[in-house]
Amino acid sequence: MGRQFTVQRGATRVVFGAGASADVAAEIDRLGARRALFVCTPRREESAKALAARVGPERAAVVAIAREHVPADVVSEARAAVEAAKADLVVALGGGSAIGLAKALALGAAVRVAAIPTTYSGSEVTAVYGITEAGKKTTGKDERVRPALVVYDPDLTAGLPRDATIASLWNAMAHAAEALWVPAIERADRLAALGAEEALRILAESAARLASRIDDAAARESALEGAYLAGAAFSDVGGGLHHRLCHVLGGAFGAPHAETHAVLLPHVARFYREAPRAAAIARALFALDPSRGLFALARATSAPSSLAAIGVPKDGVARVVDEVLASPPPSPRPLDRDALVDLLERAWSGPKARGAPPPLRAPPPLRAPPSIATHAGLFGPHQSEALAGALPAAQNAPRRAPYGLYPELLSGTPFTVKSAESSRVWMYRVRPSFAHGAFASLPRGLFGAELGDASPTRARWRPLPIPEAPAEVDFLDGLVTLGGAGDPSSGGPGYAVHLYAANAGMRDRAFADADGDLLLVPQHGALDCRTELGWLRVPPGSIAIIPRGLKVAVGAPDGAARGWVLEVLGRRLRLPERGPIGSNGLADARHFLAPAAAFEDRLCPDGFQIVHKLGGRLYAATQEHSPFDVVAWHGNHAPFSYDLALFNAMGSVSWDHPDPSILTVLTAPLDDHGRSIADFVVFPGRWEVTEHSFRPPFMHRNSASEINVVIETPAAGHGYDAGCTFLSPLLTAHGVATHTYDQIFARPGDAPDPPHRIPDASLWAMFESALPFRATAWAAASPLVDRDFLRHFEGARSYFDPSRR
Ligand code: NAD
C-alpha cells in the first residue's frame, strides 16, 4: 500500500491516498454539505459524473465548462448552475482550471469549495484566486475560496498525458522555488522553508522519473504529495515575481499556465541565483547552481523551453515588464527594467539566447580520446605542443605568437617565492581566457559548506550513493564537503576533504580552484580529466593533482564515479623529504604523468560555464568558447596523474609498527618542523613481516587528524566497505576493534609470526593533517553517518593480572 494520510491543515481537511476519491460521498457528508455541484473541464465530464453518482443524483449535479485562466463569462454561467442546483458546496474535479472556477464561485456566493485535484497545480491548498476579463487576469487572496476539503487520489492522475504531466509538475516546482525566494519566507516559520525544499526535491525526482516512464505509479504518488507540499508552502508565504510573470503572460497572451512556468522557472532562478535561500533550491536539485540544475531538469524532462514556442509575441516582452513594474511584487533583489527585459528576452528565445548560460540542447559529452599522450616527471618542467612549432622558441611573449595564438601566463605561486617552489605555466591559446561574462556568486551548498566545530569523536560515513538515471549528476554537482580546517578567505593554510558521486560527465562546464590544489582519489569508476593542458585518465587505484587556478572538466566514462578530493590551501602538494630513507623508495617523481597538449577550437553559442572557487565561495560565469583551447604550453604548474601501484612501500623488517608517515605519497608542509597541512598516505598491498609484535597498528593518539578512506578491499566487513570514510580526530585514541584485540591476545605469546602478504586488492588511504578536522553540518547530520561505528570499540576486557608477568 502506498502513502495514505489524513490531516486537518488549517481550514482544509486533506485526505491523501490511492483510491481516496471513492469515499467522496462520506467526505461531503462529513462537511455537512447538502447539495454539491461538481465543476470540471469538458474533458473530465464523464469522471465527474461518475463521482457525482456516488453522492446521489438528488444531491449532486455536474457542470463541465471550466476553462483555463477562469474567464469571467464562464464564472457567470457556472454561477447560474450553482443557483439552479441549490448547491452549498462546489466540488472541483481536475486541475487548476476547475479549482479556479470553484474558487471564483465561492467569492460571489455562499458556497464552500472542495477539490479533487488531478494535476499538480497546487491551487487546491491556496486561498489564491484568479479571474480573467478583457485580457487581464486579476489575482487575489481570500480565505473564502480556500477549499474546506481536498481529496488527493494519485489514481486519478494516471491518465494525465505526458506533456501535461511534465508541465504541471513545473507549475508545482515553481510553487516550491518561489516560496524559497520570496522575502516573506524570512518571516515565516521553518515549516514553510523545510516543506518547500523537500517538495522541490520530491517533485524534481518525480518529474525525472515520469519523463522516462509515464506509467510509474510510485512516481505519480510522490509527484502528487510533492505538489501538495509545494502548494502548502506557497500558500504560507505567497507569490513573487515568477507567478506575477506567469499571470501577466497568461492574461495578456493566453499563454498556457503550466507551460509558462516550465519556460520561466530556470530563468527566474538565474535572476535570483544570489537570493538568501537559493542554496536550498540547489540542494533540492543536487546542483551547485540552481538555475543550471533547473535547465538540466528541463532538458531531462523535455519541458517547453521558450515563450516564443508557447505563443507569446516578441513585442509582448515590454508590455509584460510595464505591467509587472506598475505594481512590483515582493522581491529579494530590486526589479529594474533592464534586468526584467533581459530575463524575458532570454526566456522568449529559449536556448538560442545570446549568452544563455545553461543550454537546453545537450552539449557534447565529455570523452577522452582512446589513447592519451603524457610527459613523465612530477613538476617537470615540461613543454608540450599539439601543433609543431606552436611554442615560441626564444621568448615567452613575442608580439605575435606562432599561429596567431594568445600567450597567457598562469602563476600558481607568488612571483618572488624560492625558485624551487615557483610554479607557473605559459599557455598559448586560441582565445583569451578573460573573454567571459561577469561572475555571479553561487549559493553556498554542500560543496564549500561552512566548517563547524572540531569534535574529538571518531566517526565513519558509509559510501556516498552514486546517482541513478534519469538524474544526471556530474562531478561538480556531485561534490559534498565533509570537513577540514583553515580559512580559504585568508588563503589558508588549511585543507578540505570533499566526497563526490556522479553518473555523468561535466558538459560544457569547467572548474578552477583559486583556493588550492586538488588531489582527486577515485574509488569507483575512472575519471577523464580534461584540463587546459590536456587530458588525464584517472582510474581507481590512481590519483590526479589539479594545480590551483587551472581549469578542469571531469568526465565519468564508466557512467558512475565516486571518490574523494583533498583540497590543500596555502601550500603546494609535493613529494615528502625521504630523510634517512635516502634517495629511493616511496613515490618516484618519474612515475607522475603530465598531459600532452590537446586542444579544441570550439564555439559554444549556448554558453560554456566556468565555475570558479575563491575565498571558499563559488562563482559562475559564462563564455562562448571552450576554455580547452591551449595549443601548446610549457612550465611546471601542470596537472599530474599517478598510479598508486607504483608506490614503493617501506616498512619494518624486525619488530613493531612504524608510523604511517612512512607511507606518505605527497605532502603539503605547514612549516619547517615536519608539520603538514595535509599528507596523502597510502596503504597498498605489501608484506607484513614483523615478529613478536602487535601486528595491526597498536592503539594510539596522534598529533594528526586522520581521514581514512577505503579505496579497495578484498574482505569488506564490520562496515569497512569500499567507499567508506572514517575519521580519527587529533589526539583522540583509536585502534583496531575490541574483537581484534581479543583474537590477538588469545594467541600464545610465542606463536610463530610467518610473513603475511596484505593482498594487492587491499588499498586504503589517508588524508592526514596537523590541523584539527572541523566537520560540515552535512557531515555531522548526514544519514550516511554510521551510528554503529563506535560499538566496535566497546566492551574491551581487562587482561591485567598482577600475578603473571
Ligand atoms: P487545467 O486545469 O487547465 O488542466 C489542463 C488540462 O488537462 C485540462 O484540459 C483538463 O481537463 C485536463 N486534465 C486534468 N486532469 C487530467 C487527468 N488526470 N487526466 C487527463 N486529463 C486531465 O491545468 P492546470 O495546469 O491544472 O491549471 C492551470 C490553471 O490553474 C491556471 O488558470 C492557473 O492560473 C491556475 N492555478 C491557480 C493556482 C492558485 O493557487 N490559485 C495555482 C496553480 C494554478
Side-chain angles (χ1 to χ4, degrees):
M1 195 167 71
R3 292 273 291 150
Q4 305 270 347
F5 61 83
T6 302
V7 64
Q8 185 69 36
R9 196 180 189 280
T12 308
R13 176 176 160 84
V14 177
V15 182
F16 188 101
S21 61
D23 296 332
V24 63
E27 289 293 340
I28 289 175
D29 284 346
R30 214 171 175 281
L31 286 184
R34 281 172 289 114
R35 293 180 59 83
L37 178 69
F38 281 73
V39 296
C40 61
T41 54
R43 294 229 310 265
R44 312 292 300 155
E45 187 166 10
E46 287 313 307
S47 320
K49 281 185 169 162
L51 283 181
R54 285 180 180 270
V55 182
E58 68 294 343
R59 289 186 59 207
V62 174
V63 58
I65 57 170
R67 284 213 332 258
E68 204 176 24
H69 300 308
V70 194
D73 53 333
V74 171
V75 180
S76 308
E77 198 181 334
R79 191 162 290 141
V82 170
E83 281 158 20
K86 297 195 175 58
D88 56 356
L89 181 73
V90 181
V91 184
L93 171 73
S97 298
I99 299 167
L101 175 57
K103 286 175 164 179
L105 292 171
L107 268 184
V111 287
R112 283 183 294 165
V113 176
I116 308 174
T118 60
T119 71
Y120 309 110
S121 79
S123 172
E124 66 281 356
V125 278
T126 74
V128 177
Y129 66 88
I131 300 173
T132 306
E133 195 160 17
K136 195 163 163 60
K137 189 164 183 176
T138 310
T139 57
K141 197 171 176 189
D142 192 314
E143 285 302 322
R144 286 177 296 169
V145 310
R146 190 187 288 281
L149 168 70
V150 179
V151 177
Y152 285 109
D153 184 345
D155 289 350
L156 298 183
T157 62
L160 193 64
R162 186 191 181 287
D163 288 353
T165 298
I166 297 299
S168 188
L169 280 168
W170 279 91
N171 185 171
M173 287 190 278
H175 289 144
E178 180 123 291
L180 284 165
W181 63 56
V182 288
I185 191 79
E186 307 305 336
R187 298 187 294 276
D189 63 18
R190 279 172 189 237
L191 277 179
L194 291 172
E197 181 176 339
E198 180 66 358
L200 187 57
R201 193 188 63 71
I202 299 177
L203 288 164
E205 191 196 324
S206 321
R209 280 165 62 191
L210 287 167
S212 68
R213 239 196 69 204
I214 195 66
D215 60 351
D216 183 338
R220 285 269 182 212
E221 186 181 276
S222 344
L224 199 57
E225 188 177 6
Y228 160 54
L229 293 176
F234 179 76
S235 167
D236 287 354
V237 296
L241 175 67
H242 177 82
H243 277 77
R244 178 69 62 77
L245 288 170
C246 290
H247 288 304
V248 173
L249 284 161
F253 309 109
H257 187 74
E259 287 77 358
T260 311
H261 278 290
V263 173
L264 280 185
L265 193 62
H267 293 276
V268 182
R270 183 169 186 273
F271 184 74
Y272 284 140
R273 199 152 55 177
E274 299 184 33
R277 287 177 194 264
I281 302 176
R283 272 197 305 270
L285 297 163
F286 298 101
L288 283 185
D289 175 348
S291 138
R292 202 179 156 94
L294 287 168
F295 274 112
L297 187 63
R299 196 169 59 225
T301 57
S302 314
S305 61
S306 78
L307 292 178
I310 57 170
V312 176
K314 181 141 198 216
D315 56 10
V317 165
R319 176 174 162 191
V320 174
V321 173
D322 285 344
E323 235 179 276
V324 169
L325 290 180
S327 61
S331 169
R333 66 170 264 197
L335 300 177
D336 66 88
R337 174 169 296 278
D338 289 351
L340 289 185
V341 167
D342 180 60
L343 185 164
L344 285 173
E345 280 182 353
R346 285 169 188 271
W348 189 86
S349 314
K352 287 202 183 59
R354 207 182 123 76
L360 290 183
R361 199 177 54 220
L366 189 71
R367 286 249 158 75
S371 88
I372 292 175
T374 51
H375 303 281
L378 185 61
F379 302 137
H382 296 291
Q383 53 179 29
S384 193
E385 300 182 322
L387 262 184
L391 270 179
Q395 62 179 110
N396 290 324
R399 184 172 304 136
R400 287 186 59 83
Y403 299 111
L405 296 169
Y406 286 89
E408 182 186 18
L409 170 64
L410 169 56
S411 293
T413 44
F415 306 126
T416 46
V417 295
K418 288 184 210 159
S419 47
E421 286 179 17
S422 168
S423 188
R424 60 97 156 101
V425 64
W426 277 96
M427 296 178 273
Y428 300 90
R429 57 194 326 144
V430 178
R431 292 179 182 80
S433 53
F434 55 68
H436 56 71
F439 277 110
S441 72
L442 293 178
R444 187 153 223 161
L446 295 177
F447 175 41
E450 274 180 63
L451 306 181
D453 291 337
S455 161
T457 306
R458 282 178 293 157
R460 185 168 66 190
W461 293 268
R462 286 188 290 273
L464 202 58
I466 296 172
E468 283 176 23
E472 249 194 38
V473 179
D474 69 20
F475 171 83
L476 206 48
D477 284 331
L479 277 165
V480 178
T481 301
L482 195 72
D487 179 5
S489 67
S490 60
Y495 69 102
V497 175
H498 313 283
L499 317 177
Y500 70 84
N503 66 347
M506 286 164 62
R507 288 173 187 257
D508 277 6
R509 185 179 213 198
F511 178 56
D513 193 336
D515 289 336
D517 286 355
L518 300 175
L519 177 78
L520 275 44
V521 185
Q523 180 269 317
H524 180 99
L527 299 179
D528 276 352
C529 297
R530 170 157 229 174
T531 75
E532 287 175 279
L533 306 193
W535 289 94
L536 289 175
R537 178 158 289 136
V538 198
S542 58
I543 55 171
I545 303 170
I546 310 294
R548 63 191 291 225
L550 194 81
K551 291 180 187 116
V552 61
V554 181
D558 300 328
R562 174 171 56 210
W564 302 268
V565 176
L566 171 71
E567 185 184 15
V568 177
L569 317 170
R571 292 290 285 269
R572 312 287 325 283
L573 279 165
R574 61 167 173 75
L575 292 176
E577 297 299 336
R578 291 194 182 90
I581 296 173
S583 56
N584 293 298
L586 309 184
D588 193 335
R590 74 194 174 103
H591 290 143
F592 286 78
L593 304 176
F599 70 98
E600 62 175 2
D601 176 8
R602 184 166 66 87
L603 287 173
C604 309
D606 288 337
F608 192 109
Q609 188 182 46
I610 306 291
V611 177
H612 192 80
K613 184 165 179 290
L614 176 68
R617 295 299 309 264
L618 294 166
Y619 301 85
T622 303
Q623 61 185 47
E624 293 184 3
H625 69 277
S626 165
F628 300 115
D629 63 351
V630 175
V631 180
W633 60 270
H634 77 86
N636 59 352
H637 196 70
F640 293 91
S641 65
Y642 174 71
D643 181 353
L644 294 170
L646 299 172
F647 183 75
N648 185 195
M650 306 270 124
S652 170
V653 289
S654 53
W655 62 81
D656 286 356
H657 223 277
D659 293 325
S661 51
I662 196 142
L663 297 164
T664 300
V665 184
L666 291 161
T667 183
L670 179 62
D671 53 30
D672 295 336
H673 312 297
R675 297 198 305 155
S676 301
I677 297 171
D679 291 337
F680 177 64
V681 177
V682 71
F683 304 95
R686 63 198 183 281
W687 282 102
E688 177 74 87
V689 297
T690 55
E691 291 179 302
H692 47 79
S693 299
F694 190 82
R695 274 235 181 131
F698 44 84
M699 169 180 53
H700 43 275
R701 282 177 281 171
N702 292 343
S703 274
S705 306
E706 300 176 352
I707 300 96
N708 299 271
V709 303
V710 180
I711 299 171
E712 206 184 338
T713 177
H718 304 289
Y720 291 98
D721 304 326
C724 81
T725 307
F726 57 101
L727 165 74
S728 303
L730 194 78
L731 286 170
T732 290
H734 57 281
V736 291
T738 307
H739 73 89
T740 310
Y741 271 93
D742 291 337
Q743 279 165 11
I744 289 170
F745 288 163
R747 296 182 65 206
D750 56 356
D753 283 328
H756 166 67
R757 181 77 164 84
I758 297 171
D760 289 334
S762 172
L763 187 59
W764 293 36
M766 180 161 76
F767 309 117
E768 193 179 54
S769 173
L771 303 171
F773 178 85
R774 296 167 53 201
T776 57
W778 179 87
S782 163
L784 299 182
V785 173
D786 186 344
R787 306 274 168 212
D788 291 334
F789 179 51
L790 294 181
R791 295 220 181 104
H792 297 302
F793 311 98
E794 288 173 355
R797 296 168 36 200
S798 167
Y799 289 93
F800 179 58
D801 181 352
S803 65
R804 260 185 62 201
R805 218 172 142 220

